[in-house]
């Protein structure tokens, strides 16, 4: 009876409007756009440029109706329903899979071949010469083996990842979460160009980045440090103490050996059994692993260096090479539970390993027999001998609370949301917010939105869109539907930003210098023209619908009308003067296409290494039906599609 009453009472509250409203999340948010001379409409457009991937038709009016502060609060709490996005993503099978499930379903080509050899489908590596089978025959056999066992190609997984990212950016109503997920993934970059880490990247973004973009920095830092994608990408999964060094496990076993009485006798017996099991396991692995792939014991400093230089303190953050070495020792033993078939073999051993310091959390493994348990001194603080996994946690907490980290993160966020060269005072203020709130990233975003620097004339339109941002903002501005995303993703790669494929741990640079040069500008104009003219397969939109089916009477009117539609609340008068010759030149699109740079080898390779997901829930595969194309073609004496194309490819549209 009480349960029914509570349900009825909650329903009454919901109908009465008493369930949480946006204003209940936070109070006293002040957006000082009026002090910068902006109208409310101009402020709304600026928010959509920076805290979203640009405005869709009608977004400025919707935002004004919601209220700027309420819109921001709803974005900060992911309050908007995303039914359309959920429907678009529903065919992507990998979204709810664990890292292990993904690794089992999408084995690497070499791994799949070894599995087929082990199951007798093809000869083993050392038996190929005498088998009489050709390489083509073995490939066919491996493909058949994969189909029969339900294995999928790695390129299928790559395609799903990229479609997931594109669809979320274009369709999500919780735009700020998508912008921040992209920002923080880039900050903690891992790359699909790393063959070991590649299969882990989908769950890395989903589990270690996305859930924490409005949380505390330390929580995200910890999730990143323990995820197999980062452990494999920066080689910490291989890092272990040298043979001669005491480990967490060896100290624990010594403790058992020295234990007295009957309990000590049983403990020593278990220790002896464990040591024999370990020796047999090491021998088995040694025999099964080719010499060139056998792990050599030793400390790897890659993760420790990037942890301090890129993730936390910054390059001038006050640490030394000795600190790098000591931090690397603190993270020895932080590794990955073997993925795929190997995982099932070690479950029982890991349960027993808890008694000697092993820690298993999903795909993360603290391997106590590989952790350097001797004393360390890090940033002046002593880490006494005899510790285990807690050393790594302590390092992450120290770095998260360090003043240099506060400044480093403040600067990077100011660069992303304010300008390439943010004023010193806003960096100082954001660093103070980071320190006072213990790295509360939601509070950091509020501090940015409340700062005069965010709204200043120097900041507005000062940021240049990356190729991904340009593509997404163009699709949103056209209110486009994506049915077959492959060519769109290829264009992002062609313009210089293959998704998830930046090889260096720095991530893609976030400045105009990286993206603006003569070649890239030609590629961007080429993209805008191809998109507007219906030459990018799998995208549908209606140019006339953007203007309520009112066709501008002249080229000048077309430029004026569509500049205001695609770039809301901007002064486009100078831009129209510059674009008029290009919009009126019948040979302009062909000239741009001929002069645009050809794909680089890396970008072409990256684009080729993914396949479009099957069974997307939209069957259309071309962007404009014939009747629409004909109606645009009849808009003589000028081409409306070329007008829209030169606007999308213009320097003004590149700015956010």
């Amino acid at each position: 009876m009480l349960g029914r009453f509570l349900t009825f009472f909650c329903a009454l509250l919901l109908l009465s409007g008493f369930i949480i409203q946006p204003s209940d999340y936070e109070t006293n948010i002040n957006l000082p756009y009026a002090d910068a001379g902006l109208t409310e409409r101009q402020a709304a457009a600026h928010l959509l440029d920076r805290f979203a991937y640009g405005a869709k038709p009608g977004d400025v009016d919707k935002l004004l109706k919601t209220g700027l502060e309420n819109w921001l609060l709803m974005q900060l709490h992911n309050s908007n329903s995303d039914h359309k996005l959920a429907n678009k993503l529903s065919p992507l099978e990998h979204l709810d899979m664990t890292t292990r499930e993904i690794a089992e379903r999408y084995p690497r080509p070499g791994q799949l071949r070894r599995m087929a050899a082990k199951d007798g489908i093809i000869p083993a590596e050392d038996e190929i010469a005498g088998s009489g089978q050709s390489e083509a025959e073995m490939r066919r056999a491996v493909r058949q083996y994969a189909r029969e066992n339900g294995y999928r190609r790695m390129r299928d997984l790559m395609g799903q990842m990229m479609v997931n990212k594109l669809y979320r950016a274009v369709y999500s109503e919780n735009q700020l979460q998508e912008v921040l997920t992209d920002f923080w993934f880039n900050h903690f970059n891992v790359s699909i160009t790393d063959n070991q880490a590649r299969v882990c990247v989908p769950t890395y973004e989903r589990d270690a980045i996305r859930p924490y973009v409005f949380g505390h920095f330390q929580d995200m830092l910890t999730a990143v440090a323990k995820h197999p994608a980062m452990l494999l990408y920066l080689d910490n999964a291989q890092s272990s103490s040298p043979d001669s060094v005491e480990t967490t496990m060896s100290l624990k076993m010594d403790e058992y050996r020295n234990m007295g009485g009957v309990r000590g006798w049983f403990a020593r017996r278990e220790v002896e059994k464990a040591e024999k099991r370990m020796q047999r396991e090491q021998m088995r692995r040694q025999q099964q692993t080719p010499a060139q792939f056998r792990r050599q014991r030793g400390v790897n400093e890659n993760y420790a260096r990037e942890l301090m230089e890129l993730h936390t303190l910054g390059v001038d953050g006050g640490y030394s090479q000795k600190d790098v070495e000591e931090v690397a020792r603190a993270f020895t033993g932080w590794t990955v539970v073997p993925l795929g078939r190997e995982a099932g073999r070690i479950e029982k051993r890991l349960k027993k390993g808890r008694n000697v310091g092993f820690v298993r959390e999903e795909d993360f493994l603290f391997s106590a027999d590989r952790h350097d348990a001797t004393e360390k001194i890090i940033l002046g603080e002593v880490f006494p001998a005899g510790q285990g996994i807690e050393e790594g946690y302590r390092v992450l907490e120290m770095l998260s609370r360090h003043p240099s980290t506060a400044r480093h993160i403040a600067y990077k966020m100011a660069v992303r949301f304010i300008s390439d060269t943010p004023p010193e005072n806003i960096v100082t203020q954001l660093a103070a917010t980071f320190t006072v709130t213990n790295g509360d990233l939601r509070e950091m975003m509020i501090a940015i939105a409340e700062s005069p620097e965010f709204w200043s004339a120097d900041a507005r339109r000062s940021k240049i869109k990356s190729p991904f941002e340009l593509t997404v903002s163009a699709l949103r501005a056209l209110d486009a539907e994506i049915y077959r995303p492959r060519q769109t993703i290829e264009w992002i790669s062609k313009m210089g930003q293959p998704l998830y494929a930046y090889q260096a741990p720095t991530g893609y640079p976030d400045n105009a210098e990286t993206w603006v040069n003569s070649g890239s500008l030609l590629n961007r104009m080429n993209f805008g023209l191809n998109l507007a003219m219906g030459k990018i397969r799998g995208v549908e939109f209606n140019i006339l619908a953007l203007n309520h089916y009112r066709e501008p009477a002249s080229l000048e009117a077309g430029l004026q009308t569509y500049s205001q539609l695609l770039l809301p609340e901007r002064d486009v008068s100078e831009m129209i003067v510059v674009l008029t010759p290009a919009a009126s030149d019948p040979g302009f699109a062909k000239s741009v296409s001929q002069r645009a740079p050809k794909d680089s080898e890396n970008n072409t390779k990256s684009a080729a290494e993914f396949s479009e997901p099957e069974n997307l829930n939209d069957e259309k595969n071309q962007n404009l039906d014939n009747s629409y194309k004909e109606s645009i073609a009849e808009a003589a004496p000028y081409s409306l599609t070329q007008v829209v194309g030169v606007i999308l490819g213009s320097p003004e549209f590149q700015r956010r």
Side-chain angles (χ1 to χ4, degrees):
M1 179 68 81
L2 178 60
R4 267 195 258 167
F5 172 75
L6 289 174
T7 301
F8 176 70
F9 182 65
C10 288
L12 280 178
L13 287 176
L14 182 61
L15 292 171
S16 303
F18 286 108
I19 298 299
I20 296 176
Q21 300 296 317
S23 58
D24 295 321
Y25 290 128
E26 311 281 351
T27 57
N28 300 323
I29 285 187
N30 175 40
L31 304 179
Y33 56 87
D35 295 340
L38 297 180
T39 66
E40 194 174 15
R41 292 188 68 83
Q42 290 170 331
H46 184 54
L47 278 176
L48 289 165
D49 277 340
R50 294 298 173 88
F51 286 5
Y53 283 111
K56 296 175 68 176
D59 270 3
V60 171
D61 291 328
K62 290 178 184 176
L63 198 154
L64 292 176
K65 185 176 180 180
T66 303
L68 271 65
E69 291 81 4
N70 281 346
W71 179 87
L72 177 57
L73 290 171
M74 292 172 74
Q75 291 293 319
L76 288 166
H77 290 85
N78 292 328
S79 298
N80 297 291
S81 62
D82 257 331
H83 299 305
K84 181 175 183 177
L85 175 63
N87 184 55
K88 297 289 285 189
L89 296 180
S90 60
L92 306 183
E93 65 174 6
H94 80 288
L95 294 179
D96 298 320
M97 296 171 71
T98 66
T99 305
R100 186 184 299 185
E101 288 170 341
I102 292 173
E104 291 173 350
R105 186 162 175 78
Y106 298 89
R108 297 190 302 275
Q111 181 185 4
L112 181 62
R113 192 167 176 130
R114 288 192 295 273
M115 290 161 58
K118 186 173 183 180
D119 289 345
I121 305 301
I122 62 173
E125 195 71 28
D126 56 354
E127 299 172 352
I128 291 176
S131 69
Q133 281 189 289
S134 68
E135 180 63 27
E137 289 173 330
M138 286 190 289
R139 287 180 179 176
R140 283 195 295 271
V142 170
R143 285 197 295 269
Q144 180 66 23
Y145 170 78
R147 284 193 294 270
E148 291 174 354
N149 289 276
Y151 299 125
R152 299 283 302 277
R153 298 174 300 175
M154 182 62 69
R155 61 187 298 167
D156 296 333
L157 178 63
M158 298 299 100
Q160 291 193 55
M161 284 171 50
M162 295 176 193
V163 171
N164 177 46
K165 182 178 181 68
L166 178 66
Y167 278 3
R168 285 180 178 277
V170 173
Y171 294 114
S172 178
E173 295 296 328
N174 296 297
Q175 281 281 292
L176 184 54
Q177 182 187 44
E178 300 311 315
V179 170
L180 286 171
T181 299
D182 180 70
F183 169 79
W184 286 111
F185 184 98
N186 200 55
H187 178 78
F188 293 111
N189 186 54
V190 298
S191 177
I192 60 173
T193 61
D194 184 296
N195 288 331
Q196 295 293 323
R198 177 185 295 183
V199 73
C200 307
V201 174
T203 59
Y204 176 71
E205 184 176 59
R206 184 192 70 196
D207 299 337
I209 303 294
R210 185 178 298 279
Y212 300 100
V213 296
F214 296 121
H216 284 82
F217 177 78
Q218 183 180 335
D219 295 335
M220 187 189 297
L221 184 69
T222 303
V224 164
K226 294 168 67 176
H227 197 279
M230 183 60 73
L231 289 165
L232 292 167
Y233 175 60
L234 290 180
D235 303 315
N236 204 82
Q238 302 173 16
S239 187
S240 63
S241 61
D243 288 323
S244 58
V245 171
E246 287 185 328
T247 66
T248 302
M249 188 182 81
S250 67
L251 292 175
K252 192 69 177 176
M253 294 180 99
D254 286 344
E255 182 182 322
Y256 287 136
R257 287 190 186 95
N258 296 326
M259 192 179 291
V262 175
R263 186 181 174 193
W265 184 85
F266 280 106
R268 285 189 291 277
R269 188 179 175 189
E270 287 300 312
V271 166
E272 290 171 0
K273 287 181 180 179
E275 288 177 332
K276 289 179 181 178
R277 279 197 304 269
M278 286 183 62
Q279 290 171 358
R280 288 196 301 269
E281 176 65 17
Q282 289 172 355
M283 183 67 69
R284 184 187 68 80
R285 288 191 179 185
Q286 192 83 353
Q287 291 172 346
Q288 292 183 357
T289 306
Q292 64 269 32
F293 298 120
R294 290 174 189 166
R295 289 180 178 176
Q296 301 297 317
R297 287 190 73 101
V299 179
N300 189 298
E301 297 177 5
N302 289 353
Y303 173 67
R305 180 172 291 103
E306 308 306 351
L307 171 64
M308 291 192 282
E309 179 177 328
L310 299 178
H311 299 171
T312 57
L313 303 177
V315 66
D316 298 317
Y319 63 91
S320 65
Q321 172 58 28
K322 181 63 175 175
D323 289 315
V324 172
E325 295 168 5
E326 297 289 85
V327 167
R329 292 173 57 221
F331 282 101
T332 48
W334 283 51
T335 187
V336 178
V337 176
L339 301 174
R341 292 182 173 184
E342 182 74 13
R345 271 195 212 110
I346 67 169
E347 293 292 339
K348 292 182 180 179
R349 291 199 295 276
L350 286 178
K351 289 179 181 178
K352 292 184 177 181
R354 287 197 296 263
N355 296 324
V356 289
F358 281 74
V359 178
R360 158 71 182 293
E361 295 175 9
E362 297 180 350
D363 303 312
F364 169 75
L365 174 65
F366 175 74
S367 190
D369 63 324
R370 299 169 62 190
H371 180 69
D372 181 340
T374 60
E375 182 184 90
K376 305 166 187 71
I377 300 176
I378 300 173
L379 296 175
E381 293 194 23
V382 176
F383 285 56
Q387 297 189 345
I389 190 174
E390 64 271 18
E391 285 193 330
Y393 288 137
R394 182 180 169 188
V395 169
L396 295 174
E397 182 178 9
M398 281 175 56
L399 295 176
S400 296
R401 296 177 183 275
H402 198 283
S404 293
T405 298
R407 179 171 179 81
H408 181 56
I409 300 303
Y411 179 78
K412 287 201 71 170
M413 294 184 75
V415 167
R416 174 60 180 80
F417 292 101
I418 296 176
S419 72
D420 288 358
T421 54
E424 176 62 29
N425 59 309
I426 185 58
V427 175
T428 301
Q429 291 170 21
L430 289 174
T433 299
F434 186 95
T435 300
V436 169
T437 64
N438 292 324
D440 188 321
L441 301 178
R442 181 181 286 122
E443 291 297 326
M444 292 287 283
M445 294 307 301
I446 293 173
I448 289 170
E450 289 187 326
S451 70
E453 290 79 9
F454 176 76
W455 302 98
S456 69
D458 290 339
R460 297 196 306 275
R461 299 170 48 251
S462 67
K463 292 293 297 181
I464 298 297
K465 298 172 184 175
S466 69
F468 178 71
E469 292 165 345
L470 171 64
T471 303
V472 173
S473 64
L475 293 168
R476 286 175 59 81
L478 293 172
D479 201 19
E481 288 290 339
I482 310 167
Y483 297 109
R484 294 295 172 189
R486 180 181 177 89
Q487 285 194 4
T488 300
I489 293 169
E490 287 174 344
W491 268 99
I492 297 170
S493 181
K494 184 185 296 186
M495 289 188 285
Q497 193 182 11
L499 299 181
Y500 300 108
Y502 197 79
Q503 295 187 23
T506 55
Y508 282 106
D510 186 11
N511 55 60
E513 183 180 359
T514 299
W515 302 122
V516 177
N517 55 64
S518 58
S520 67
L521 289 176
L522 278 170
N523 256 335
R524 289 168 178 239
M525 178 61 78
N526 199 22
F527 163 74
L529 289 164
N530 275 270
L531 177 60
M533 293 179 173
K535 295 181 180 180
I536 298 180
R537 181 177 178 269
V539 181
E540 182 177 284
F541 53 89
N542 191 318
I543 290 176
L544 292 178
L546 297 178
N547 195 35
H548 306 288
Y549 295 94
R550 294 192 297 269
E551 185 179 316
S554 65
L555 182 142
E556 291 76 14
L559 276 170
Q560 181 69 39
T561 299
Y562 280 87
S563 292
Q564 291 174 337
L565 288 170
L566 299 173
L567 294 163
E569 305 306 319
R570 294 198 197 180
D571 182 356
V572 294
S573 54
E574 291 185 11
M575 183 189 81
I576 290 173
V577 173
V578 173
L579 294 184
T580 298
S584 60
D585 179 1
F588 181 72
K590 183 177 180 180
S591 175
V592 169
S593 178
Q594 291 174 342
R595 294 167 57 199
K598 304 302 180 186
D599 296 345
S600 72
E601 182 179 346
N602 288 339
N603 292 349
T604 304
K605 182 181 178 183
S606 174
E609 286 185 343
F610 76 90
S611 59
E612 193 167 69
E614 300 172 0
N615 303 320
L616 292 178
N617 47 8
D618 296 303
E619 295 182 355
K620 297 183 181 180
N621 61 6
Q622 56 185 345
N623 57 322
L624 297 170
D625 61 57
N626 290 331
S627 61
Y628 174 56
K629 288 181 178 179
E630 289 168 4
S631 70
I632 294 298
E634 291 169 359
Y638 73 96
S639 168
L640 184 56
T641 55
Q642 183 160 314
V643 165
V644 171
V646 296
I647 294 170
L648 294 176
S650 68
E652 184 63 27
F653 196 83
Q654 314 304 311
R655 299 181 179 277
R656 56 175 176 83

